[in-house]
Amino acid sequence: MSKITVTIPHKDEIQKTYESYNGVLTEIKDNIEAKLKSSIKLASMPTYKSRIKSFNSYYRKVLRLKAEEVACRGKLVALTDMMGIRIICAFMEDLHNVEQQVKDLFDVKEVEYKGSGQNFREFGYESIHVLVAIPDDCMPEHCDVEIPANIVCEIQIRTILQDAWAEVEHELIYKTEFTPFDMPLRRKLASINASLSLADTIFQEIRDYQNKLQMETAARRESFYEKVDETTSEVSPEKKAKKKEIARISPFVRGTIDDMLLEAIHAHNNGELDKAILIYTQILESTPVPPAPVLSVVFKHRGMAYFASNDYDNALKDFTSSVENDSNGFRSYYFMGIVYSVKSDYENAVKYFTKSLEINEFQSHARFRRAVALSKIGENEKALEDISAAEAMGLKDEDLTILKNKIIKKMGIGM
């Protein structure tokens, strides 16, 4: 009989070699994860999972893919997924943002979009897999083994729901080497995957809506402050001449109260004040009556629209209604102080600026506006206290400096 030649080393030898690299692989993986955590920036910071491939999993894969290389005894055969780091994001919009940041950080060898081509009847998980070379600053300082030149780390990028499905699918199918041929079972799995994908899409739509609302609200608030500056005598001519560009976005599809509110704010920002007031009024008169917190917000927004229309009496009524529905509405109290200032009723202006500051004392602009009102009624020492507080909170405003110098000169301080 001819002698059988065994070219593949014993499993124990392969295991011994692989496990001798565990410390090195772990250190590299930890260094890359630390680099990612310190560098990846998102509004909603991701979470991380990492692992070194288990020997049994490594052994099955290396025999399947690289049996010839295993014949080199004592040498580590590098697989692309020996080191894995998973970046788990809250929203779909974060995925490609993270992908780009990873590409900026590392030398990328390959990018694979798993599941991107599957149809709705399939149930495989979706994930972005990025293979990166190991940068010098992530290599171990001291190493007793030879690190393969072609070694890489696999970085997976997923949403929370994509990761949840991948974990379940791994337990149900991959670990058990089970491929369902039964059509009802396949439909169930596909249905679960589709539901999670739909949930991801809905979460992203809600996130988009929130971003739009925040942008429009910020733009509306900026236009309100511009209007305040225009109607305040202390503002320097140079500042009045400066007009800030406000970011504009398209309105959201009309439907719910949230949609109507966003449409109203968008109209407000575009100077369509009558339209904005009409939509705010429709919300306030809707059935069933919105809850108090919603009423408070809508009254505040409509009050700002009235203010922009120079209808100060209706603006005051709406700001009053806003705080009646939310006694902690410090911004509405502040806006009431603004209206009274414009109407030259400085006693009431001080009263309502004070109410606002009692709820939230860390408002530099409220301090400044109260200082203006206090100076109008001869309370110069209190006005200087507010100016000092506003400066301590970091307010740098030429009008604040003008007012401060005017009061100092009037009081003869330092002269």
Side-chain angles (χ1 to χ4, degrees), residues 72 113 136 155 222 272 303 311-312 363 377:
C72 300
Y113 301 95
D136 292 339
I155 299 173
E222 188 65 38
E272 301 173 78
D311 188 346
Y312 303 129
Q363 299 180 77
I377 59 177

Side-chain angles (χ1 to χ4, degrees), residues 133-199:
I134 313 303
D136 292 339
D137 60 357
C138 291
M139 283 292 190
E141 292 184 10
H142 306 287
C143 187
D144 297 328
V145 293
E146 181 183 354
I147 300 175
N150 62 336
I151 194 169
V152 294
C153 178
E154 181 182 70
I155 299 173
Q156 301 174 354
I157 309 168
R158 300 174 183 166
T159 65
I160 294 169
L161 295 183
Q162 286 173 350
D163 187 60
W165 171 242
E167 293 283 6
V168 174
E169 186 205 38
H170 187 74
E171 293 293 328
L172 285 178
I173 299 172
Y174 180 78
K175 274 192 174 181
T176 58
E177 298 182 356
F178 167 66
T179 303
F181 293 101
D182 179 65
M183 189 54 68
L185 183 55
R186 291 180 65 87
R187 288 197 184 106
K188 287 178 182 178
L189 290 169
S191 177
I192 293 171
N193 190 23
S195 296
L196 290 173
S197 297
L198 177 60

Side-chain angles (χ1 to χ4, degrees), residues 119-131:
N119 63 45
F120 70 93
R121 293 186 179 88
E122 296 174 312
F123 48 84
Y125 69 88
E126 292 186 51
S127 183
I128 301 173
H129 289 197
V130 185
L131 298 183

Side-chain angles (χ1 to χ4, degrees), residues 6 28 60 70 89 98 115 140-141 240 352 363 380:
V6 179
I28 293 173
R60 287 195 302 269
V70 179
C89 307
V98 170
E141 292 184 10
K240 282 187 176 182
Y352 288 102
Q363 299 180 77
N380 292 313

